[in-house]
Amino acid sequence: MRPAETLESFNLLPIREPKKEYLSKDRKVLEHFRFPSISLRRTKKTFISIMNEDILNLVEEHGDEVLNYDKVRLTFERNHQKFYMSYCRKIFATFLRNEGVETELIDLLQGRIANSIFVRHYYRPDMSKFDEIREKLTRLHDLLVN
């Protein structure tokens, strides 16, 4: 997702009423398709995002605070850290690929649909793969934070 879309998604999470339908009932997937004005663009269409407890804890930590790009950037600057939000997509994709996740699945999670007939019309990933990716993302979070 683009940085602005990511922050809009963050601001729609269920702590902020009345958007409870955005997070799936099992609290494991954000359902972007329910808000097409935010996530369905002409070129990149993001239908779902995988959630884990670390992200949900971050949302609860910020309570009702509405985030925007400048707030995030300034927080990094105050802590004397460089801020390149565009690196997030690269780190995410590279880490998952190095962990053995199929490129088609990474492309789907990043909003890219390949031109192949197979991916466009027939590829339906098994939902258990999302659980595996969730575990891998927890490891990535631990690597980045600790």
Side-chain angles (χ1 to χ4, degrees):
M1 296 175 76
R2 294 172 179 90
E5 293 167 349
T6 303
L7 292 170
E8 280 185 67
S9 294
F10 183 87
N11 292 329
L12 283 174
L13 284 168
I15 303 267
R16 296 149 184 88
E17 296 291 335
K19 305 296 185 191
K20 287 188 181 268
E21 68 273 4
Y22 192 38
L23 188 61
S24 65
K25 294 196 187 325
D26 60 5
R27 296 175 49 97
K28 293 184 177 182
V29 175
L30 274 182
E31 298 174 337
H32 300 297
F33 58 85
R34 295 187 187 277
F35 298 92
S37 63
I38 296 172
S39 58
L40 300 182
R41 304 279 179 119
R42 189 178 60 78
T43 54
K44 289 188 178 163
K45 295 173 175 45
T46 309
F47 294 99
I48 63 167
S49 288
I50 297 173
M51 296 296 288
N52 65 17
E53 286 304 314
D54 295 324
I55 297 170
L56 292 173
N57 291 338
L58 182 66
V59 173
E60 289 174 6
E61 189 177 296
H62 283 276
D64 290 335
E65 180 183 359
V66 175
L67 293 181
N68 62 36
Y69 189 83
D70 286 331
K71 281 185 182 179
V72 174
R73 183 183 53 78
L74 289 173
T75 301
F76 275 81
E77 284 181 11
R78 278 190 214 109
N79 293 318
H80 307 291
Q81 296 175 332
K82 293 184 179 180
F83 177 71
Y84 302 107
M85 201 158 179
S86 61
Y87 286 173
C88 295
R89 286 176 59 86
K90 294 174 185 177
I91 291 169
F92 172 82
T94 302
F95 181 82
L96 288 181
R97 187 63 195 123
N98 288 342
E99 290 288 312
V101 176
E102 305 155 349
T103 55
E104 292 91 354
L105 193 50
I106 295 169
D107 283 344
L108 285 173
L109 290 172
Q110 290 197 319
R112 294 185 297 269
I113 302 292
N115 287 332
S116 75
I117 299 296
F118 170 72
V119 172
R120 283 188 176 271
H121 300 285
Y122 302 109
Y123 183 65
R124 301 292 179 263
D126 182 16
M127 292 304 280
S128 66
K129 291 189 181 211
F130 293 136
D131 293 330
E132 293 172 21
I133 290 173
R134 190 172 295 104
E135 291 172 17
K136 293 174 192 298
L137 292 177
T138 300
R139 271 190 290 164
L140 175 61
H141 177 266
D142 292 342
L143 284 171
L144 293 173
V145 174
N146 299 329

